Amino acid sequence: NAGVTQTPKFRVLKTGQSMTLLCAQDMNHEYMYWYRQDPGMGLRLIHYSVGEGTTAKGEVPDGYNVSRLKKQNFLLGLESAAPSQTSVYFCASRSTGTGRSGELFFGEGSRLTVL
Amino acid sequence: AQSVTQLGSHVSVSEGALVLLRCNYSSSVPPYLFWYVQYPNQGLQLLLKYTTGATLVKGINGFEAEFKKSETSFHLTKPSAHMSDAAEYFCAVSEYSSASKIIFGSGTRLSIRP
């Protein structure tokens, strides 16, 4: 049972380059989320999706785009990377059946460095 | 909007000592509260959660937390620390919205001294 899988796990980019992070979950969860983790700031929500074909902005959406073409996948894109986007990115999913009490299931993270 | 404040970015205790990690929340509706733990180079995993009912919640690895509405607190405790408890701990609140977003605190790093 893989749970939530993120690829790639590590990536180094130059300023201005683009890239896509892929998140895949095999739990048939409706809700999926992208967070970034920075020292002393906890996890901040970038974008989220409540179902296939839907996306919405979180707390820090600028500079990122997302797509949810398939229920099991949630892609996070950086069109023109900036050093401020150096961070560890976490994908998470959640079942709607449990409502507000449902826990998030996290991937292992993707460490991105922008030079 | 709901929010979470964790007091103390770093807590250090001796092995065998009491662990106390503090969390206060702000919410205009009955909160659903969570503690997550993150071990080095891993994702977060659920430690325990409070939804309704009993205010003292027991989680994995001997941790527990008590929901105190009057103090808007949800502090995490463990009677006796073990070296394997060294990790980062996050308190979180489930936002009252259709998207059911979870809002995280800034985290507390727990170190255990031999």
Side-chain angles (χ1 to χ4, degrees), chain A:
Chain A
N1 186 3
V4 179
T5 303
Q6 294 180 227
T7 53
K9 289 186 170 44
F10 301 93
R11 185 73 186 270
V12 178
L13 288 176
K14 294 181 179 178
T15 298
Q17 287 185 316
S18 63
M19 75 158 295
T20 299
L21 297 176
L22 170 64
C23 176
Q25 54 96 3
D26 61 3
M27 296 172 283
N28 202 35
H29 286 170
E30 288 290 338
Y31 292 166
M32 295 187 74
Y33 308 84
W34 275 108
Y35 287 90
R36 61 177 289 174
Q37 183 179 26
D38 302 292
M41 304 188 75
L43 275 76
R44 293 181 292 169
L45 184 62
I46 304 171
H47 286 281
Y48 63 97
S49 169
V50 299
E52 182 179 318
T54 72
T55 63
K57 295 179 180 180
E59 301 170 86
V60 289
D62 294 342
Y64 304 95
N65 56 76
V66 289
S67 64
R68 184 106 180 262
L69 299 180
K70 294 183 178 181
K71 184 178 182 178
Q72 64 268 35
N73 295 338
F74 194 31
L75 278 64
L76 178 71
L78 285 71
E79 291 187 346
S80 179
S84 60
Q85 294 178 303
T86 294
S87 187
V88 181
Y89 293 85
F90 286 97
C91 177
S93 68
R94 190 180 197 187
S95 169
T96 56
T98 49
R100 283 203 302 141
S101 67
E103 69 176 280
L104 288 172
F105 291 84
F106 283 87
E108 293 188 343
S110 298
R111 185 176 296 275
L112 175 65
T113 301
V114 183
L115 303 176

Side-chain angles (χ1 to χ4, degrees), chain A residues 31 33 35 37 40-43 45 48 50 57-59 90 94 99-104 106-109 111, chain B residues 2 30-32 34 36 38 41-44 46 49 51 88 90 94-96 98-102 104-106:
Chain A
Y31 292 166
Y33 308 84
Y35 287 90
Q37 183 179 26
M41 304 188 75
L43 275 76
L45 184 62
Y48 63 97
V50 299
K57 295 179 180 180
E59 301 170 86
F90 286 97
R94 190 180 197 187
R100 283 203 302 141
S101 67
E103 69 176 280
L104 288 172
F106 283 87
E108 293 188 343
R111 185 176 296 275
Chain B
Q2 287 138 310
Y32 285 9
F34 304 79
Y36 284 82
Q38 183 183 31
N41 300 314
Q42 295 186 23
L44 282 71
L46 184 67
K49 67 180 180 182
T51 54
E88 188 147 18
F90 294 91
S94 182
E95 193 174 69
Y96 194 82
S98 60
S100 294
K101 293 180 289 184
I102 294 185
F104 287 85
S106 57

